[in-house]
Amino acid sequence: LHLIRPMLRRVRLFHVFDDRERGSVETWLGREIDIFTAGLGLPEKSKVSARQVVARPRQSTGEPMTLLYFGRNDVYQKGLDILIDGFARVAQTLKGCRLIIAGRPWRGSTKRLEKAIKLSGAGGSIRVVGPVSENRKYELLANASYLIYLSRWDGPPRPIRAALDIGTPVIISPETNMASMVNGCNAGIVVELNAEQVAQGIQMVVENGEMRAKHSRGAKMARNQLEWDRVAEAYIAGYRVLG
């Protein structure tokens, strides 16, 4: 970035996905530049319609919860090391709460996850299921209490948008570049990338049934924000700055 800063200063307009990226651009180039914010919309429709999946009713207070990570099992980028550590810190006190990690392996992730889970001491509450079919993917998303996605860096990840598409709230890191939208719609919680913050966030949603109900309603509101016609309006408005 130091090397290309002079080149970046000649750019007329920057498109960012979220306020976190906006802050990074302004830190490097100053606040006098033109920036517009627009995310990505709902995932394209697959042969399986997300909203045709029959989900069981959301859990009531006191009922065991299921947290789901779904996506490429890139242990570092997707923060699975932090997720396992954070979950393990509260797994013993939150009886019945379980974590499912689904998605295809990535560069030796199977052995790394096995080791991390064994060292965490929470192996009885964590299940790694590997690759799944489209049907099974949507079943997992629909039946999860929360999708939990802790990227160290990312664009607006497809699994988060897919979860919100069917009304499943989320626990995410700011680095997913969806924090502003999730906070704005109250569609879940945003936690910093450290195990203690993750543990506190998990414990908070497990113990607060009223909060979970609000997050479920917020996820449906977020879905409306992610409709492509609304997203396209943000892009068009940004491009108009160029004249």
Side-chain angles (χ1 to χ4, degrees):
L1 287 176
H2 281 292
L3 293 175
I4 65 173
R5 180 185 282 186
M7 183 185 304
L8 291 177
R9 289 190 180 281
R10 296 197 294 270
V11 176
R12 291 182 57 194
L13 179 68
F14 282 85
H15 163 221
V16 298
F17 285 130
D18 194 70
D19 290 343
R20 186 177 184 87
E21 282 191 333
R22 175 183 289 270
S24 297
V25 173
E26 289 177 345
T27 296
W28 278 89
L29 301 176
R31 295 179 179 272
E32 67 280 1
I33 58 177
D34 290 320
I35 303 175
F36 79 95
T37 303
L40 297 178
L42 299 171
E44 64 184 69
K45 301 306 177 189
S46 65
K47 294 180 180 178
V48 179
S49 174
R51 285 175 294 285
Q52 289 177 354
V53 175
V54 178
R56 58 183 172 80
R58 298 289 177 201
Q59 292 90 339
S60 59
T61 304
E63 185 178 345
M65 288 181 56
T66 298
L67 304 175
L68 170 70
Y69 166 83
F70 178 83
R72 184 179 73 249
N73 287 183
D74 187 329
V75 176
Y76 185 76
Q77 183 192 347
K78 304 301 182 179
L80 294 175
D81 52 342
I82 298 172
L83 172 56
I84 292 169
D85 188 358
F87 178 78
R89 295 182 185 214
V90 291
Q92 294 300 317
T93 58
L94 303 176
K95 298 299 183 182
C97 185
R98 63 175 183 158
L99 170 64
I100 296 176
I101 298 174
R104 61 186 175 88
W106 181 257
R107 296 182 179 177
S109 62
T110 301
K111 289 185 177 180
R112 292 182 64 187
L113 288 174
E114 287 175 354
K115 182 178 180 180
I117 291 169
K118 183 177 181 180
L119 290 174
S120 76
S125 301
I126 303 175
R127 182 182 173 205
V128 180
V129 301
V132 296
S133 67
E134 281 287 288
N135 288 68
R136 182 59 177 151
K137 176 182 78 172
Y138 281 115
E139 287 174 1
L140 288 170
L141 287 169
N143 291 317
S145 309
Y146 284 81
L147 177 78
I148 185 163
Y149 209 97
L150 306 174
S151 289
R152 284 180 164 92
W153 68 89
D154 229 317
R158 182 186 177 96
I160 297 176
R161 293 179 283 127
L164 296 173
D165 188 14
I166 55 177
T168 299
V170 297
I171 301 171
I172 63 171
S173 62
E175 290 78 5
T176 60
N177 273 308
M178 294 192 71
S180 297
M181 193 273 298
V182 168
N183 280 332
C185 295
N186 197 22
I189 60 173
V190 179
V191 295
E192 296 299 326
L193 276 173
N194 66 75
E196 186 58 35
Q197 288 278 319
V198 173
Q200 291 174 8
I202 292 172
Q203 184 161 1
M204 182 168 57
V205 298
V206 169
E207 294 180 346
N208 192 328
E210 183 178 348
M211 176 181 288
R212 296 200 302 275
K214 289 179 179 178
H215 288 165
S216 292
R217 293 193 295 271
K220 295 179 177 66
M221 185 186 303
R223 184 191 182 282
N224 294 332
Q225 296 289 330
L226 292 171
E227 291 284 2
W228 273 107
D229 56 350
R230 300 192 66 171
V231 172
E233 289 174 359
Y235 279 82
I236 292 169
Y239 295 146
R240 281 176 177 160
V241 175
L242 289 173

